[in-house]
């Protein structure tokens, strides 16, 4: 939640250090400079062994030899960069036409071995042993003038790909580029064989390329500069056969806060088959009640998109995992507000206020809304349901004064205030509240939230840090005390030895895994 004191003093001088790039390849790596004919002959001999049940004892060695030969051939395929069909023909090979469960090369601008990606930033490399060469595909979204498809992440979208060179499609060796998320096996002589896959590389590469986790502190101080990046994004192309799991971060943070837990989940075969990752990104200096309104809007738009493309009943099984202030946004978005929020800011009924059409719309969208109803389960991680005492300290009061809210918001709020002087309840009429103010235990929004009711039939869980001190209920994660992060009537509450960065904790990840297995009815 609040972890930007050291950054506050330097936030205005932060600069971007270069633009990340996909691995380039102007020439074949030295270790792969073997005549392609020799590599093809080696791969063909190994394939013949793998296709012969009588030579089963040799299958492990043949598969390893095959993978090594095909990896070197793929280096020659991708270096130098040229049209895919031209690259295949140069090796005396061809590309198999793509089916519905394959990687579609027309959607991929860069394709490179997963071994080139450093996965340490997301955690241990999660892999599946098998046949083929694990690759990362990348489709950039940053071209100027190009309209991004709905819910596609900014910067670009990664793809898990496995390359298999087949010798059973006629006389010419044939490249088959598979999408292991869709189908994780291939056939050799009628036998089903697991594809080799790297589940961490595409995830790690996205965060290498993405700018969503840049300037977290700046997103608190000048949130208006990052409004265009506010959105709900699909981590993979929408799949009606998978349950959405939505991750929402806290203040001075980004969706990258969940990269370790997502990596841990990606290593679970049941998770890959049952779930698809969505994440909500927003500038965190805005009042969280405003961010909740935008979250509702994007969630409802995603629900409409899913229903138009088929959801097979999975949309209504959606799970939300929310950290810190993201939990306040989630809880607000999924609660019946009645007039709880409205009454904490206005003395008169809405129809008695002097409002412009824009002002009325802002109040209705932000305070008198209809909740999101399709999610089925929420996991709260270190959420300050009743605020954080730290937000009341002088340093944070000072930081709040530095925050520059979006001009459209401030102009409308000033207009509402001027039109209705004397009928507005603000702790400080000369200072419009920011996200920092809204985290104080006595903030009107925090107090109003306690009076709202969550939608019925919602499954709730809490994961709370105690810094390893074992002193619950007198504990704190260093930012949020237990009395604030505790929520009555949850189905489970897990205390983990963590500070406020609960998503990075291994025991917290294990608890998320347990809850998701329960949700998907996996025993």
């Amino acid at each position: 939640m609040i972890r930007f004191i050291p950054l506050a003093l330097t936030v205005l001088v932060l600069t971007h250090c270069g633009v990340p790039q996909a691995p380039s390849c102007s020439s074949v790596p030295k270790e792969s400079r073997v005549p392609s004919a020799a590599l093809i002959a080696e791969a063909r001999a190994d394939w013949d062994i793998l296709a012969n049940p009588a030579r089963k004892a040799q299958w492990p060695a043949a598969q390893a030899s095959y993978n090594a030969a095909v990896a070197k051939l793929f280096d020659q395929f991708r270096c130098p960069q040229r049209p895919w069909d031209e690259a295949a023909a140069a090796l005396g090979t061809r590309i198999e036409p793509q089916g519905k469960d394959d990687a579609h090369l027309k959607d991929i601008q860069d394709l490179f071995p997963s071994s080139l990606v450093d996965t340490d930033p997301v955690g241990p490399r999660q892999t599946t042993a098998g046949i083929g060469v694990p690759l990362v595909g990348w489709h950039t979204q940053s071209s100027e003038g190009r309209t991004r498809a709905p819910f596609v992440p900014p910067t670009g979208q990664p793809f898990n790909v496995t390359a298999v060179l087949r010798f059973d499609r006629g006389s010419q060796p044939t490249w088959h580029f598979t999408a292991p998320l869709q189908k994780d096996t291939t056939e050799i002589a009628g036998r089903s064989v697991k594809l080799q896959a790297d589940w961490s590389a595409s995830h790690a590469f996205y965060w290498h390329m993405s700018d969503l986790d840049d300037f977290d502190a700046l997103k608190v101080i000048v949130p208006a500069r990052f409004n265009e990046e506010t959105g709900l994004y699909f981590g993979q192309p929408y799949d009606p056969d998978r349950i959405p799991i939505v991750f929402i971060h806290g203040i001075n943070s980004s969706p990258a806060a969940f990269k370790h837990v997502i990596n841990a989940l990606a290593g679970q075969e049941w998770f890959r088959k049952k779930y698809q990752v969505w994440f909500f990104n927003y500038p965190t200096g805005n009042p969280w009640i405003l961010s909740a309104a935008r979250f509702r809007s994007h969630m409802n738009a995603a629900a409409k998109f899913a229903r138009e493309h088929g959801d097979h009943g999975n949309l209504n099984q959606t799970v939300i995992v929310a950290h810190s202030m993201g939990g306040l946004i989630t809880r607000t978005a999924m609660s019946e507000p009645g007039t709880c929020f409205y009454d904490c800011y206005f003395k008169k009924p809405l129809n008695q206020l002097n409002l412009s059409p824009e002002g009325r719309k802002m109040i209705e969208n932000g305070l008198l809304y209809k909740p999101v109803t399709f999610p089925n389960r929420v996991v709260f991680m270190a959420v300050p349901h009743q605020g954080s005492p730290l937000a009341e300290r002088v340093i944070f009061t000072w930081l709040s004064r530095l925050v520059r809210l979006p001009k459209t918001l401030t102009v409308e709020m000033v207009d509402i205030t001027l039109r209705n002087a004397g009928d507005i309840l603000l702790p400080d009429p000369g200072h419009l509240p920011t996200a920092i103010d809204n985290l104080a235990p006595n903030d009107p929004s925090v107090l109003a939230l306690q009076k709202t009711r969550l939608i019925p039939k919602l499954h709730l869980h809490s994961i709370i840090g105690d810094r390893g001190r074992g002193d619950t209920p007198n504990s704190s994660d260093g930012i949020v005390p237990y009395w604030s992060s505790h929520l009555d009537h949850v189905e489970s509450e897990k205390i983990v030895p963590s500070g406020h960065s609960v998503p990075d904790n291994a025991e917290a990840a294990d608890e998320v895994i347990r809850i998701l297995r329960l949700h998907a009815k996996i025993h």
Side-chain angles (χ1 to χ4, degrees):
M1 187 180 72
I2 303 170
R3 54 179 176 86
F4 51 86
I5 293 177
L7 300 177
L9 302 179
T10 57
V11 67
L12 298 180
V13 297
L14 288 172
T15 56
H16 200 293
C17 301
V19 179
Q21 300 289 332
S24 61
C25 192
S26 57
S27 62
V28 178
K30 184 177 181 180
E31 64 273 14
S32 297
R33 293 175 189 173
V34 179
S36 59
L39 292 172
I40 289 173
E42 182 180 347
R44 185 190 295 273
D46 294 324
W47 183 276
D48 289 341
I49 294 172
L50 294 168
N52 187 348
R55 305 180 71 176
K56 186 175 181 179
Q58 297 174 269
W59 285 354
Q63 181 172 283
S65 174
Y66 169 90
N67 288 347
V70 174
K72 292 175 182 177
L73 278 168
F74 179 76
D75 280 341
Q76 298 182 20
F77 175 90
R78 67 178 288 262
C79 304
Q81 292 181 312
R82 52 200 156 169
W84 303 123
D85 288 334
E86 181 182 321
L91 297 175
T93 62
R94 69 182 184 91
I95 298 174
E96 184 169 63
Q98 281 85 48
K100 66 181 182 67
D101 293 331
D102 294 332
H104 292 267
L105 296 188
K106 64 180 177 59
D107 297 327
I108 294 174
Q109 294 160 339
D110 291 291
L111 192 63
F112 48 89
S114 63
S115 58
L116 296 180
V117 179
D118 177 13
T119 64
D120 286 348
V122 301
R125 192 180 292 267
Q126 307 286 345
T127 61
T128 297
I131 195 166
V133 181
L135 310 173
V136 174
W138 179 254
H139 181 85
T140 185
Q141 297 293 334
S142 59
S143 299
E144 292 185 7
R146 175 181 295 173
T147 301
R148 193 166 71 237
F151 309 106
V152 173
T155 309
Q157 184 142 48
F159 298 89
N160 283 94
V161 182
T162 299
V164 176
L165 188 64
R166 305 192 66 90
F167 295 92
D168 56 357
R169 299 291 194 267
S171 59
Q172 193 173 26
T174 303
W175 290 100
H176 184 198
F177 293 98
T178 65
L181 265 176
Q182 301 305 316
K183 187 177 180 182
D184 59 4
T185 61
T186 191
E187 284 195 357
I188 300 178
R191 176 172 65 94
S192 179
V193 181
K194 273 283 188 183
L195 292 168
Q196 185 173 203
D198 185 326
W199 307 109
S200 298
S202 60
H203 175 50
F205 186 71
Y206 176 76
W207 289 113
H208 168 71
M209 296 292 286
S210 176
D211 57 5
L212 290 184
D213 57 340
D214 294 337
F215 311 131
D216 285 348
L218 210 57
K219 292 173 186 176
V220 179
I221 304 300
V222 282
R225 286 183 53 181
F226 302 93
N227 276 340
E228 288 186 5
E229 293 181 348
T230 298
L232 185 69
Y233 301 114
F234 297 170
Q236 64 194 72
Y238 173 71
D239 187 340
D241 292 320
R242 289 178 167 90
I243 299 169
I245 175 170
V246 184
F247 292 92
I248 174 168
H249 61 87
I251 196 169
N252 188 39
S253 187
S254 74
F258 297 101
K259 61 187 179 184
H260 293 100
V261 70
I262 292 173
N263 183 62
L265 289 166
Q268 310 284 328
E269 183 175 358
W270 59 267
F271 177 81
R272 299 192 299 268
K273 291 183 180 298
K274 290 287 187 177
Y275 291 95
Q276 56 189 315
V277 170
W278 298 359
F279 53 88
F280 182 64
N281 180 72
Y282 63 101
T284 61
N286 289 331
W288 53 258
I289 200 163
L290 171 66
S291 297
R294 292 179 173 171
F295 180 58
R296 288 194 306 275
S297 175
H298 286 286
M299 286 287 281
N300 287 330
K304 182 175 183 290
F305 179 91
R307 291 182 179 117
E308 289 173 350
H309 292 79
D311 69 72
H312 299 182
N314 288 309
L315 182 67
N316 289 335
Q317 293 298 311
T318 295
V319 179
I320 300 177
V321 178
H323 177 232
S324 193
M325 191 172 76
L328 296 180
I329 291 170
T330 300
R331 186 175 164 190
T332 302
M334 301 191 66
S335 292
E336 297 279 1
T339 61
C340 297
F341 289 113
Y342 180 87
D343 290 343
C344 76
Y345 288 110
F346 296 96
K347 297 178 182 178
K348 290 183 177 180
L350 181 65
N351 59 10
Q352 294 181 23
L353 295 179
N354 178 14
L355 298 169
S356 67
E358 294 78 13
R360 179 177 294 272
K361 183 178 180 181
M362 176 183 287
I363 292 172
E364 289 175 339
N365 287 347
L367 306 177
L368 298 168
Y369 56 86
K370 292 182 179 179
V372 174
T373 59
F374 66 87
N376 180 263
R377 193 177 298 269
V378 177
V379 181
F380 292 117
M381 307 180 86
V383 174
H385 295 287
Q386 299 185 59
S388 170
L390 285 184
E392 298 177 311
R393 293 188 178 181
V394 173
I395 181 65
F396 291 106
T397 302
W398 174 75
L399 282 172
S400 180
R401 299 283 175 172
L402 294 179
V403 175
R404 296 295 176 261
L405 295 173
K407 187 175 181 180
T408 53
L409 174 64
T410 56
V411 167
E412 204 56 58
M413 290 178 71
V414 168
D415 179 68
I416 293 171
T417 302
L418 292 175
R419 285 170 176 260
N420 299 276
D423 294 324
I424 293 184
L425 301 168
L426 283 176
D428 181 357
H431 171 65
L432 297 177
T434 69
I436 299 173
D437 302 310
N438 287 158
L439 292 171
N442 63 351
D443 178 77
S445 296
V446 169
L447 297 175
L449 182 60
Q450 313 314 311
K451 302 175 184 178
T452 63
R453 292 181 296 104
L454 283 159
I455 60 172
K457 299 181 180 179
L458 189 62
H459 301 277
L460 304 175
H461 306 266
S462 292
I463 306 177
I464 299 169
D466 71 350
R467 293 180 287 179
R469 298 181 180 182
D471 53 349
T472 302
N474 300 313
S475 59
S476 169
D477 63 19
I479 300 293
V480 182
Y482 175 80
W483 57 260
S484 181
S485 54
H486 170 77
L487 196 63
D488 290 335
H489 310 302
V490 296
E491 294 185 11
S492 67
E493 180 181 273
K494 177 72 172 179
I495 308 297
V496 298
S498 170
H500 192 61
S501 298
V502 170
D504 289 337
N505 181 267
E507 290 187 28
D510 288 343
E511 177 67 358
V512 172
I513 289 172
R514 183 194 70 80
I515 293 167
L516 294 179
R517 287 180 66 94
L518 171 73
H519 187 70
K521 297 180 172 61
I522 296 172
H523 304 291

